[in-house]
Amino acid sequence: MSVLVRRAAAEFTGTAFLVMAVVGSGVMASRLSPDDVGLQLLQNSLATGAALVALIVALQPVSASFNPVVTLVERALRMIDTPTAAGLIAGQVLGGLAGTVAANLMFGLDAVSLSTHERTGAGLWLGEVIATVGLLLVIFGAVRSGRADRVAFAVGGYITAAYWFTSSTSFANPAVTIARTVTDTFAGIAPSSAPAFILAQLLGGAAGFVLVRFLYPTLVTPAVVAADRKVLS
């Protein structure tokens, strides 16, 4: 089995479980707390953040981006080549859709049900730009400063927080956005709203790439970090 196939399979699996966490916890929250939207969002955000930590820890040795914007920035930073980026993005999109179908079926819903939850407006689009910039800063700030082993906890914590401080509740992921169009539940987004969200995420990705390159112009390896610590001790 080729390395690319293994990596694409890891992206498929990780994105599927991530979307199951997002959609499934949204359904569970709406059923357990039907009259409290704030509590629903809290339950949804905690489940998503916790799942992200676990999935990244488990799959990072193979591949654990789970996000086309992250993969595109990895390509722009020359961390991967174009065929690899294409394969990983395909895995992410297909995995996200599979995760939504699985979540729908787990809760006795139709496998595919287009969302009627309209999410539109300049404030929400700006929220997606900001959420995506922040996510890239957290990921690549950790990686390029030689702390890749902390990415899982940084990303899980950031996404949990971004659910609350962004107007859009921080989708920040085109694959997850596409997947959430086929569930008419708490986490859904209407297909007509998805293109603008994805465009905002791509704009955030471009801005995040520029910011990361400016703040971290060189890649610091773990060996360099260890040497610096030895000098300071």
Side-chain angles (χ1 to χ4, degrees), residues 31-101:
R31 291 181 179 181
L32 294 176
S33 310
D35 301 318
D36 192 334
V37 178
L39 184 55
Q40 292 172 14
L41 185 62
L42 177 62
Q43 294 161 338
N44 195 207
S45 64
L46 290 176
T48 301
L52 267 172
V53 172
L55 291 168
I56 294 173
V57 168
L59 294 172
Q60 193 174 28
V62 185
S63 189
S65 296
F66 314 149
N67 188 331
V69 172
V70 174
T71 299
L72 288 172
V73 172
E74 288 178 328
R75 176 65 189 92
L77 292 171
R78 299 182 180 178
M79 297 170 66
I80 56 176
D81 58 24
T82 299
T84 298
L88 299 186
I89 290 172
Q92 292 156 2
V93 173
L94 294 174
L97 290 169
T100 299
V101 170

Side-chain angles (χ1 to χ4, degrees), residues 21-228:
V22 173
V23 175
S25 65
V27 175
M28 182 69 80
S30 63
R31 291 181 179 181
L32 294 176
S33 310
D35 301 318
D36 192 334
V37 178
L39 184 55
Q40 292 172 14
L41 185 62
L42 177 62
Q43 294 161 338
N44 195 207
S45 64
L46 290 176
T48 301
L52 267 172
V53 172
L55 291 168
I56 294 173
V57 168
L59 294 172
Q60 193 174 28
V62 185
S63 189
S65 296
F66 314 149
N67 188 331
V69 172
V70 174
T71 299
L72 288 172
V73 172
E74 288 178 328
R75 176 65 189 92
L77 292 171
R78 299 182 180 178
M79 297 170 66
I80 56 176
D81 58 24
T82 299
T84 298
L88 299 186
I89 290 172
Q92 292 156 2
V93 173
L94 294 174
L97 290 169
T100 299
V101 170
N104 285 340
L105 292 174
M106 277 196 294
F107 287 93
L109 305 173
D110 291 339
V112 173
S113 180
L114 295 182
S115 176
T116 57
H117 190 171
E118 297 286 344
R119 301 176 189 256
T120 186
L124 296 184
W125 301 330
L126 177 59
E128 278 302 286
V129 172
I130 291 171
T132 307
V133 171
L135 177 61
L136 295 176
L137 181 61
V138 167
I139 293 171
F140 292 100
V143 170
R144 293 181 72 81
S145 60
R147 297 172 295 170
D149 58 327
R150 305 179 190 179
V151 167
F153 304 97
V155 170
Y158 174 78
I159 290 298
T160 301
Y163 258 77
W164 291 90
F165 76 76
T166 63
S167 57
S168 62
T169 66
S170 185
F171 285 49
N173 185 328
V176 170
T177 302
I178 293 169
R180 290 168 68 167
T181 63
V182 294
T183 180
D184 196 17
T185 61
F186 178 83
I189 177 172
S192 60
S193 299
F197 262 56
I198 293 171
L199 177 59
Q201 292 156 6
L202 293 174
L203 291 174
F209 168 74
V210 172
L211 182 60
V212 167
R213 284 301 304 268
F214 175 74
L215 294 176
Y216 303 94
T218 58
L219 177 63
V220 177
T221 65
V224 172
V225 174
D228 288 345

